[in-house]
Amino acid sequence: MIVIPMAGLSRRFVEAGYTQPKFMLPLGERTAFDLSVLSFERYFADRPFLFIARESGGVEAFIETHCAMLGVRDVRVALLDQPTAGQAETVEQGIDRAAVDGSTPLTIFNIDTFRAGYREPDTARLAMLDGYLEVFRGEGANWSYVRPAPEGERIAAETAEKRPISDLCCTGLYHFARAADFRRALDAERTAPQSHELYVAPLYNHLIGGGATIGYECIEPDEVVFCGTPAEYEALLARPD
């Protein structure tokens, strides 16, 4: 299942004077929503898509209309009526409301990030992993990060939020082989929180500590486009493509 949480308050956009949710903002003939969802075009025919949004005038109709235009066959919408303590809790509430079975694989992605041509790891690699993150090599202190295990094979030894433990920065794509693992890791995070907000990336540490194998897939920086701030959105508006 592809899970796209989109229940944030878009605070920076509101403060910049935008009146629409950022996922509704136009980019050429598309919207930010369209470009995020199109990251998974390869899976439109055979994967369920779960969108988790705040109850607001027209949001559910917007999601359903745009998914129909894009060709997404299995669309599920979970509407939340209260703010959450972070993206991980948003996902939890969404999969609970959608009654997602514990054995269901989850691929979580941001509504303000575009990853054209995304393809999941091959079947053999997926079979050896309990989860994976997608990363690129970068710098700064505002990302989620992966510290690689010394033995190689693209295995994560640790994850961190806004604490640079390596140059492997997360794109915002997180995969859990089983929804039950996600729920279990979130329960553990609440018991021993690693930050003030319930982020997704740190959840992997609880799985790693229990012996799970978490991988990472490294892409080139130009394979992912971010649209999470007004400055990033306005820069995209100025691009000829």
Side-chain angles (χ1 to χ4, degrees):
M1 170 177 278
I2 310 296
V3 181
I4 301 185
M6 41 191 287
L9 299 176
S10 301
R11 177 180 52 81
R12 286 173 293 192
F13 282 83
V14 171
E15 291 174 352
Y18 290 91
T19 57
Q20 288 180 297
K22 63 182 173 182
F23 59 83
M24 291 186 179
L25 294 174
L27 281 165
E29 297 180 356
R30 301 284 192 183
T31 64
F33 176 93
D34 300 334
L35 295 176
S36 174
V37 176
L38 280 166
S39 304
F40 303 97
E41 187 172 13
R42 187 182 306 276
Y43 305 104
F44 281 179
D46 57 8
R47 297 287 172 88
F49 282 68
L50 173 62
F51 299 91
I52 309 165
R54 288 175 60 85
E55 288 186 338
S56 180
V59 167
E60 185 170 12
F62 175 91
I63 292 169
E64 292 174 347
T65 297
H66 281 254
C67 283
M69 290 190 301
L70 295 172
V72 184
R73 292 191 181 177
D74 187 343
V75 178
R76 308 174 193 191
V77 180
L79 296 178
L80 309 183
D81 55 9
Q82 295 291 332
T84 69
Q87 189 183 56
E89 186 170 277
T90 298
V91 172
E92 175 193 43
Q93 292 189 17
I95 64 177
D96 285 351
R97 293 190 183 208
V100 174
D101 185 82
S103 63
T104 302
L106 303 179
T107 299
I108 302 165
F109 195 56
N110 296 331
I111 194 61
D112 56 13
T113 306
F114 315 143
R115 174 67 174 89
Y118 166 76
R119 181 194 294 266
E120 67 185 18
D122 62 43
T123 303
R125 178 151 171 83
L126 274 179
M128 66 172 282
L129 298 175
D130 296 297
Y132 69 88
L133 308 83
E134 196 174 67
V135 301
F136 64 96
R137 295 196 180 275
E139 59 184 18
N142 200 41
W143 307 101
S144 306
Y145 300 88
V146 171
R147 177 170 64 83
E151 60 267 25
E153 298 298 325
R154 291 170 289 147
I155 300 301
E158 181 186 4
T159 58
E161 185 68 35
K162 296 179 176 56
R163 179 168 61 88
I165 54 176
S166 78
D167 65 348
L168 297 178
C169 305
C170 300
T171 66
L173 189 145
Y174 308 107
H175 179 82
F176 293 81
R178 294 161 291 274
D181 291 347
F182 171 86
R183 290 187 174 106
R184 177 165 53 87
L186 181 52
D187 287 342
E189 179 68 13
R190 287 193 174 105
T191 302
Q194 300 166 72
S195 64
H196 66 283
E197 188 173 330
L198 291 173
Y199 296 103
V200 175
L203 303 188
Y204 288 108
N205 289 322
H206 301 288
L207 301 181
I208 293 168
T213 302
I214 304 301
Y216 63 87
E217 302 296 310
C218 194
I219 66 171
E220 294 299 321
D222 62 3
E223 292 183 81
V224 61
V225 176
F226 299 101
C227 187
T229 68
E232 288 171 339
Y233 171 67
E234 289 156 11
L236 288 174
L237 283 178
R239 282 174 47 162
D241 57 346

